[in-house]
Amino acid sequence: MRLPAETVLESQARTTAENAEFVAAIYRDRGWRSIILVTSREHTRRAAAASRSAGMDIAAVISASESVRLKPGDLIPGAKGLGRWSPVLHEYVGILWYMLSGKLDPSALTG
């Protein structure tokens, strides 16, 4: 895959919030007005909100990923259904944690 020369792949962060902080520093240093944020479907909401909370104007793009096909049985409580929902639950718990710890401005969720 060929990426433009301006592409920045930040790889030092351990969390989404750190990633947003590290990229925001690059954003300010280079005088960028906006960026394209590429992330997974499940992670888009938190990554975009963290980036906006860090002061960036972003356009979020969902990366190509495996399609998830939910069946009616996946909506019934149980281990199999919960397993299918775990990435989504992880993101919502992450959003709540970031809001409670002051790393995410709730207004950034509406972007």
Side-chain angles (χ1 to χ4, degrees), residues 28-69:
R28 287 188 296 275
D29 289 346
R30 296 191 182 180
W32 291 340
R33 293 188 312 255
S34 63
I35 63 166
I36 297 171
L37 169 72
V38 181
T39 189
S40 68
R41 175 182 50 241
E42 297 86 4
H43 192 58
T44 301
R45 186 174 175 107
R46 182 162 51 124
S51 297
R52 288 185 193 106
S53 292
M56 293 182 280
D57 180 22
I58 62 111
V61 176
I62 298 170
S63 64
S65 62
E66 184 178 321
S67 176
V68 175
R69 302 224 190 290

Side-chain angles (χ1 to χ4, degrees), residues 1-16:
M1 180 170 147
R2 296 183 74 190
L3 298 173
E6 309 83 39
T7 301
V8 173
L9 302 174
E10 191 286 312
S11 61
Q12 301 302 309
R14 295 168 295 153
T15 67
T16 301

